Amino acid sequence: MSIMEKIQNIDRRWIYLLAWVAVLSPLLNPLGLPVTIGRDSTRYYNYITDVPDGSTIMVTFDYGISAMPELYPLTIATFHQLWSRDFKVVVIATWNQGPMVMDVVLGELNPAVRYGKVYGEDWIELGWVPQSETGMAALGTDIWGTKPVDYIENRQTSSFPIMQNIKTAEDIDLLISFETGTPGLPEWVRQWNVPYGTPIIMGCIGVMVPEVAPYLQTGQLGALIPGLTASAEYELLLKRPALAIAGVDAISMSHLLIIVLVIIGNIAYFMTRGKGGS
Amino acid sequence: MSDVFRRIEIPIAITIVCTLLQIIPFYVNIQPLASTADTFRSWMILVATCATFVGAISLTLYNVKAIQRRSEDWYYSILVIVFMLAILLFGLPIPEAGLGDQNPQFSFLFVNILTPLGSTMYSIIAFFITSAAYRTFRARNIEAAIVLVSGILMICKNAPVMTTFWGPFVDIGDWIFDVPNMATMRAVIIGTALGAIALAVRTLMGMERGYLRGGGEE
């Protein structure tokens, strides 16, 4: 077996090791590579910036713990932007681990102390809405009935000052969804955007981006943060570099590794192709 | 009498009624129908919530059997049951007893076990993708070469080190995203929707029975 054939059939564990080194080394020793701010993060940032003060924004956790490495930095950055303004924020989850992720967000941001936000007046968490699309439809029709009690204080939803004028999807000025799959954007579009005209913006994991792209072109999705790189750009727009920026060097190095490996693999392939190689 | 309730027409009729009840108010504004549809959706949420317990019971039974039979890797089943019971116990919504999501043990299990495990399971994909890209991204023919070049360009677009090195990677990546990707995904979405409509019509006509007693055509 020639060297080129050996290169093509290299043990995958060596590739795992290279990937591990490529991801870990910049995390331990940040390279500080520059980040170019793109159109997606700018559109998302501007979309929230342009929402008038006093508007009601619903944030939905359509992801669980496993997606936290990619979506958590964006979630934190978005809540920072929301709580820095005078919005009424209603938090829900269509994934059952969503409220647990929100607990972590609360532990990190502490809205009462850092932003002076009062629970029940400036924001509220209604918890998990089960049964995916059916739950979304029910929530759109009757928020009080679908979530009769809140998640944090276990009190009647209708008893909170913030909820007095929030009863259906028509009372929500913007829906922000963080998601990894189903239920997610297509369901929100069907149950909220089409019947009630609720504007939607979202952040999602990288592999979902092609799937949701058509909704961006039709205008049913107002803005999209596609993965961690765009989250890092969004953090820069907020002038608040944090978790996503820290991960961008690792993304750069791992992507670079893939490019180098693919080039090497193809060189080896073409050099052995005419010699009966694999 | 019991034979009457075992007739297959009954669940089919229930399915048809429930489906029409959700479809008609979407197109026609008839208030009594709309409120009945709302009630049905609330029922469905209740049913789904109860199904959570079915999942927990099913998981317990499966793992208890695995332990009893000493199946392969049966000791992992012990871990599953122990941690499920621990999370269940500490997470019970009884704040008066110090339980619930603010319970320190519950938080510990969530932050120090569940979160790292979940993140690891997701992050491990990076290793598989790197290995798979190395093995499968070969320009074996024209089509494969197009996929290869497009993939590499998208990788370059998403890697800040590459966009900083050569700015046009962003524009090229955006074009791939906006034009070929968008066109393809629109076709996929429309095709899927047509398939879903066909399935719904078959279900409404009682021709689709896959959800009944293990399935079977008419």
Side-chain angles (χ1 to χ4, degrees):
Chain A
M1 186 183 280
S2 68
I3 292 175
M4 289 300 161
E5 285 171 333
K6 281 181 182 171
I7 287 175
Q8 285 195 76
N9 297 309
I10 190 172
D11 190 329
R12 66 178 183 277
R13 285 171 293 189
W14 287 109
I15 297 173
Y16 293 166
L17 181 65
L18 285 173
W20 186 72
V21 171
V23 171
L24 194 65
S25 56
L27 289 176
L28 294 175
N29 298 299
L31 306 172
L33 295 168
V35 175
T36 311
I37 294 174
R39 62 172 187 179
D40 296 319
S41 52
T42 307
R43 189 188 292 164
Y44 183 89
Y45 172 80
N46 288 340
Y47 205 103
I48 297 177
T49 303
D50 292 343
V51 176
D53 278 338
S55 299
T56 303
I57 297 180
M58 179 172 276
V59 180
T60 169
F61 282 79
D62 302 339
Y63 73 95
I65 297 159
S66 59
M68 282 180 75
E70 191 159 0
L71 288 180
Y72 183 71
L74 171 65
T75 310
I76 289 286
T78 302
F79 271 103
H80 171 73
Q81 189 177 9
L82 294 181
W83 278 329
S84 300
R85 296 272 308 278
D86 185 21
F87 295 136
K88 295 187 187 311
V89 180
V90 181
V91 182
I92 61 151
T94 63
W95 284 46
N96 57 5
Q97 291 178 344
M100 299 182 193
V101 180
M102 184 61 193
D103 287 343
V104 183
V105 173
L106 289 177
E108 182 163 345
L109 288 185
N110 199 345
V113 174
R114 290 183 62 177
Y115 303 95
K117 297 296 179 185
V118 180
Y119 184 76
E121 291 181 17
D122 300 311
W123 73 283
I124 190 168
E125 185 179 357
L126 298 180
W128 176 45
V129 179
Q131 201 50 27
S132 56
E133 190 165 1
T134 308
M136 294 171 178
L139 195 72
T141 314
D142 180 10
I143 296 175
W144 289 10
T146 308
K147 295 303 298 178
V149 293
D150 78 309
Y151 175 73
I152 291 187
E153 296 183 356
N154 206 29
R155 281 169 47 199
Q156 289 283 319
T157 302
S158 56
S159 68
F160 288 95
I162 186 177
M163 295 304 294
Q164 294 314 302
N165 296 315
I166 304 173
K167 294 172 186 171
T168 72
E170 288 173 345
D171 303 318
I172 303 295
D173 299 307
L174 174 65
L175 180 80
I176 303 177
S177 166
F178 305 115
E179 57 189 72
T180 52
T182 305
L185 181 70
E187 290 77 19
W188 283 118
V189 167
R190 282 197 292 265
Q191 302 303 334
W192 278 52
N193 180 270
V194 173
Y196 303 102
T198 310
I200 303 173
I201 62 173
M202 71 178 286
C204 67
I205 56 173
V207 292
M208 264 189 76
V209 176
E211 184 188 332
V212 298
Y215 297 98
L216 199 60
Q217 199 178 41
T218 59
Q220 290 167 309
L221 177 64
L224 165 71
I225 291 276
L228 195 63
T229 306
S231 303
E233 297 166 18
Y234 177 54
E235 285 183 353
L236 288 181
L237 285 167
L238 289 170
K239 297 181 176 60
R240 188 180 177 278
L243 291 169
I245 285 289
V248 155
D249 284 350
I251 287 179
S252 281
M253 294 311 292
S254 60
H255 283 33
L256 208 54
L257 174 68
I258 290 176
I259 293 169
V260 170
L261 286 175
V262 168
I263 291 170
I264 291 173
N266 275 277
I267 290 171
Y269 169 71
F270 280 107
M271 289 185 75
T272 55
R273 191 170 61 164
K275 299 173 185 171
S278 56
Chain B
M1 185 65 183
S2 63
D3 286 346
V4 174
F5 291 107
R6 294 169 69 91
R7 289 180 67 88
I8 201 164
E9 287 81 4
I10 293 175
I12 291 175
I14 292 172
T15 305
I16 291 171
V17 169
C18 292
T19 310
L20 289 176
L21 205 53
Q22 296 303 319
I23 292 174
I24 293 171
F26 199 83
Y27 295 101
V28 187
N29 188 14
I30 304 170
Q31 197 48 46
L33 264 184
S35 35
T36 312
D38 290 346
T39 309
F40 270 56
R41 282 198 287 267
S42 301
W43 288 0
M44 193 163 170
I45 290 171
L46 285 174
V47 171
T49 309
C50 293
T52 307
F53 296 102
V54 176
I57 293 166
S58 169
L59 188 70
T60 308
L61 290 176
Y62 175 84
N63 285 286
V64 166
K65 278 182 189 167
I67 295 166
Q68 283 174 338
R69 292 174 185 163
R70 296 289 192 272
S71 309
E72 191 180 358
D73 298 332
W74 60 273
Y75 33 85
Y76 291 127
S77 294
I78 296 177
L79 283 177
V80 170
I81 290 177
V82 167
F83 279 97
M84 190 178 74
L85 290 175
I87 283 274
L88 186 71
L89 179 69
F90 295 130
L92 282 174
I94 312 173
E96 296 80 8
L99 302 174
D101 62 337
Q102 302 302 320
N103 176 277
Q105 285 76 27
F106 181 87
S107 299
F108 178 84
L109 288 172
F110 178 78
V111 173
N112 296 299
I113 295 181
L114 204 56
T115 305
L117 280 178
S119 302
T120 304
M121 288 304 291
Y122 178 70
S123 306
I124 215 167
I125 296 170
F127 296 96
F128 299 141
I129 287 177
T130 310
S131 175
Y134 178 68
R135 287 169 194 289
T136 58
F137 264 26
R138 296 275 194 273
R140 296 178 200 280
N141 50 45
I142 294 292
E143 291 87 350
I146 291 170
V147 171
L148 172 65
V149 172
S150 307
I152 292 290
L153 287 170
M154 284 308 288
I155 289 172
C156 290
K157 188 245 174 180
N158 285 309
V161 65
M162 299 304 290
T163 53
T164 306
F165 172 68
W166 196 54
F169 276 134
V170 175
D171 299 324
I172 295 169
D174 284 345
W175 182 83
I176 293 171
F177 181 78
D178 286 346
V179 183
N181 165 69
M182 204 82 85
T184 310
M185 287 314 297
R186 269 201 301 261
V188 169
I189 289 173
I190 291 170
T192 309
L194 291 174
I197 291 169
L199 181 68
V201 171
R202 281 177 60 84
T203 306
L204 276 171
M205 295 172 73
M207 294 165 70
E208 189 66 43
R209 299 182 174 186
Y211 62 98
L212 296 168
R213 300 182 190 168
E217 285 290 318
E218 193 174 16

